[in-house]
Structure formats: structure tokens, C-alpha cells
Amino acid sequence: MSSSSSPLFRFGIIADPQYAAIAPHVAMDRYYANSLAKVAAAIEVFNGEELSFVMTLGDVIDRSFSSFDDILPVYETLRHEAVFLLGNHDFSVSAGHLSEVAARLGMPSPYYSFLRHGWRFIVLDGNEVSIFAPPEGHPHRALAAEMLAELQAKGARNAHRWNAALSDEQFAWLGDEIAKAAVAGEKVIVMNHYPVHPPGEHDMWDSDRIVALLASERNVVAYLNGHDHVGNYGMAGGCHFVNFKGVVDTETENAFAIVEVHPDRIEIRGFGREESRTLAY
């Protein structure tokens, strides 16, 4: 295939806008309020392309449920379908709003899958077992505290309060979705807020089992995520793991991508700080 050949389809990617109407955290290079203009600029580029959808890989806001009221209207200018998944900062809201975040983002459920052009997109809820997303008193909160304490005792580098894990139920669902896709002859792209590979401090607490599953299934082509704002890339088995850079970082420079799916490869066109990559499969 020549590189000039047109792709089977394309989609847009935005990661970690973390919008909030607050002053920047200059030491961390986070400019929360500037994300409104950056997302609008990304949408302008997306609107000039033929895309199947645009996925935001979590952390739409940084804090306060009312922040959604400022940033979600920006997405209304998008002429393509906007799809979302849940990030840790999307739960930096008052306890009464925790159970409303997925619905506020128009998601069908906290984790779900959808088909496009014979490809299956599996969207994970990486926050399911965490010390911040489940409602107060939920068993997943207690389980999260146990998992975190165990990882801290081992000195694990991802033993942080801002990471999380899948429930066993969601992990089994992920396996089922991949198996169903294989039977149907579908290639799979998994999307989640958190990285799982290469190993790092931002990884999901149960990254080992997730990587083992994805690397062992021949129809899983890629895993796309945000959370670690500096970005990253790795490969395990035949699966490419791409960590997109965060929009909220830097005062003026943007970061987003258009992903083009070809019969033999995926081309990532990076804009601003985001890198361009070719992923053969």
C-alpha cells in the first residue's frame, strides 16, 4: 500500500483537557483555563476532515462539576460524533455528583463498546476500583484501599492514589468483547484513560493482567490512553500501546491527533506537541 492511499476511516483524539476556571499551576506547566481555546482549535481542525468520531481520553475537567457546563458546549461545534471515557479528574467533584459523571458526558455507561467500519472499539472505565470514583461506602472503594496498600508495601512505582484498577467483572467483559470480535472477524482498538505499558508510575494497578490479555489476542491492534501528560509508546505481542500527550500542559501549545486506519497499518498524525507515528499490524 502506498502512503498516499486513502485510509479505511479516520478518527480524532484529544487527551486530558483538564479544564477548570482557575489560575495555572506554572510549576507543573498546567494551564487549566486555556483548554477551552485549545479544544476549540482542535475541533476546528477536526471539522476540516472526514472523521468517524472524536474520542476524548478522559480528564475533560480538572475539578468542579460545573466545569462541564463550560467545556461541553465547545464540543457542540464539532460536526462529528463526540465520544468520551472517564478519567480520574472527571471525579474531582462533590460526592453527590460522582454517580452523574458518565451521564453528563453523554456516555451509554461507564464502559462500553462500539463498531465502526468492521472494527470494534472497547472503551474501559479505568476508575472503577479507585479511592475517588465509587460512591462513599461502595465495596470498590475498600478494595481499592487494599490494592493500593499492597502495592505501596511492595514499593510499586504505580502505587499512587490517582491510579486505579478494573473490577474482575469489567476485566472478564473485556475478554468477552475481544473474543466476540475475533468470532466476528473484527480488529480491536482498546481505549482507556490510564496507561498499562510500558511500565510506569501512571499505570493501572492491574496493568499486568491487562497487558497479558491484550498481547495474547491476535485481533487486538492498539491500546490508546492519556493520563501521563508527557506521552509514551510501547509494544507487547502484536499490540501497540500509545499514550497521548495532555492538552492542559503548556500555556499555548496544543496536543491532539488524527488516527488513520489502513488495511496494514495505523497512521497517527500528531498536531502541536503530539507525535506522528506509523503502527504496522
Side-chain angles (χ1 to χ4, degrees), residues 9-86:
F9 64 100
R10 303 181 181 88
F11 58 91
I13 290 282
I14 297 174
D16 300 76
Q18 276 186 225
Y19 167 76
I22 54 173
H25 191 312
V26 178
M28 286 177 74
D29 207 15
R30 304 252 161 104
Y31 292 81
Y32 307 100
N34 298 14
S35 287
L36 286 188
K38 288 187 194 174
V39 170
I43 286 172
E44 204 171 318
V45 172
F46 294 149
N47 282 346
E49 304 259 351
E50 291 309 316
L51 305 178
S52 289
F53 60 88
V54 171
M55 167 60 85
T56 301
L57 294 166
D59 284 4
V60 177
I61 60 165
D62 185 77
R63 66 197 71 179
S64 173
F65 198 71
S66 63
S67 295
F68 287 121
D69 298 341
D70 291 338
I71 193 163
L72 290 181
V74 177
Y75 284 89
E76 289 169 16
T77 62
L78 181 67
R79 70 179 183 96
H80 311 292
E81 183 186 6
V83 289
F84 293 93
L85 58 75
L86 301 167

Side-chain angles (χ1 to χ4, degrees), residues 67 74 122 162 253 274-275:
S67 295
V74 177
I122 301 175
W162 31 262
E253 211 178 351
E274 190 51 65
E275 291 171 51

Side-chain angles (χ1 to χ4, degrees), residues 163-247:
N163 294 332
L166 304 182
S167 67
D168 289 345
E169 183 185 10
Q170 185 180 173
F171 181 72
W173 172 84
L174 170 61
D176 287 346
E177 285 286 318
I178 294 168
K180 280 183 201 160
V183 170
E186 298 158 358
K187 299 263 190 246
V188 170
I189 292 177
V190 179
M191 296 176 166
N192 187 17
H193 180 58
Y194 299 87
V196 290
H197 184 77
E201 67 166 354
H202 290 81
D203 287 2
M204 296 209 51
W205 296 335
D206 59 340
S207 57
D208 290 354
R209 68 174 178 173
I210 298 170
V211 175
L213 171 63
L214 303 184
S216 69
E217 299 293 347
R218 294 191 53 183
N219 62 326
V220 179
V221 175
Y223 176 100
L224 312 180
N225 66 273
H227 191 52
D228 186 354
H229 297 194
V230 299
N232 208 349
Y233 169 80
M235 192 166 188
C239 183
H240 298 273
F241 293 82
V242 185
N243 187 149
F244 290 87
K245 292 179 164 69
V247 167

Side-chain angles (χ1 to χ4, degrees), residues 68-194:
F68 287 121
D69 298 341
D70 291 338
I71 193 163
L72 290 181
V74 177
Y75 284 89
E76 289 169 16
T77 62
L78 181 67
R79 70 179 183 96
H80 311 292
E81 183 186 6
V83 289
F84 293 93
L85 58 75
L86 301 167
N88 54 309
H89 284 274
D90 295 317
F91 292 95
S92 301
V93 297
S94 61
H97 286 303
L98 288 173
S99 62
E100 299 168 14
V101 175
R104 185 70 186 88
L105 288 166
M107 295 168 57
S109 56
Y111 55 92
Y112 60 101
S113 70
F114 60 93
L115 293 174
R116 288 290 183 280
H117 308 277
W119 284 60
R120 186 174 299 228
F121 291 85
I122 301 175
V123 181
L124 301 179
D125 173 15
N127 315 276
E128 195 183 16
V129 177
S130 66
I131 57 172
F132 49 80
E136 294 287 351
H138 194 286
H140 283 162
R141 244 183 218 242
L143 176 59
E146 277 171 42
M147 288 182 82
L148 180 56
E150 262 174 56
L151 287 165
Q152 284 170 337
K154 280 194 246 176
R157 57 177 153 175
N158 63 337
H160 295 289
R161 299 172 61 84
W162 31 262
N163 294 332
L166 304 182
S167 67
D168 289 345
E169 183 185 10
Q170 185 180 173
F171 181 72
W173 172 84
L174 170 61
D176 287 346
E177 285 286 318
I178 294 168
K180 280 183 201 160
V183 170
E186 298 158 358
K187 299 263 190 246
V188 170
I189 292 177
V190 179
M191 296 176 166
N192 187 17
H193 180 58
Y194 299 87

